[in-house]
Amino acid sequence: NDQRQAGVFQNKYVLDQVIQCGTVELVKIMHDGFPNRCNLKDLRTRFEALLPADFQRYSNSQFITGIMMAFRIPRKDWAVGVTQLFMKAGQLRILESLRDSGDSPDSE
């Protein structure tokens, strides 16, 4: 607010802050049904042994997109953000079980 007083809100500043903080995008993602979020770097660490060494040259988002496509996780069930992978309910469990069981990704 212009007066910088606690408990005083001005709608134009509140709306701007909500937009700048990414809250609108988060609500959209959650509305679209992607309740699970995972850090791309963490996922890469957990799954990098499943893909050939030449995949190391890709960015985290490209690498995770490759993992999701290689395991044929339907595209409608996930979305890649700047630093996070967003998935519909149950998809992380499926991905982890594929990794734990030693399944090989599709080579196509």
Side-chain angles (χ1 to χ4, degrees):
N1 62 44
D2 291 333
Q3 297 82 28
R4 297 183 187 246
Q5 294 177 331
V8 176
F9 298 96
Q10 291 178 304
N11 289 342
K12 67 179 182 177
Y13 294 122
V14 172
L15 179 60
D16 186 52
Q17 190 171 18
V18 166
I19 290 170
Q20 295 301 321
C21 290
T23 306
V24 173
E25 284 301 311
L26 178 60
V27 169
K28 180 184 180 312
I29 287 168
M30 298 301 276
H31 179 267
D32 289 343
F34 297 101
N36 298 319
R37 299 183 300 242
C38 298
N39 181 280
L40 295 176
K41 187 176 180 181
D42 294 344
L43 281 173
R44 182 180 190 135
T45 300
R46 289 178 7 216
F47 288 91
E48 64 188 350
L50 299 177
L51 292 178
D54 62 328
F55 270 74
Q56 299 306 315
R57 62 189 163 110
Y58 294 112
S59 69
N60 288 338
S61 63
Q62 292 169 325
F63 184 88
I64 296 305
T65 298
I67 286 283
M68 301 302 281
M69 293 173 63
F71 278 110
R72 296 186 182 263
I73 305 294
R75 187 66 178 102
K76 65 180 179 49
D77 292 343
W78 55 276
V80 177
V82 176
T83 62
Q84 302 278 322
L85 172 66
F86 300 91
M87 293 175 284
K88 290 195 173 183
Q91 295 306 312
L92 180 58
R93 186 172 13 99
I94 291 169
L95 195 59
E96 292 285 358
S97 68
L98 289 170
R99 182 195 66 160
D100 293 342
S101 69
D103 284 354
S104 297
D106 192 343
S107 61
E108 293 177 23

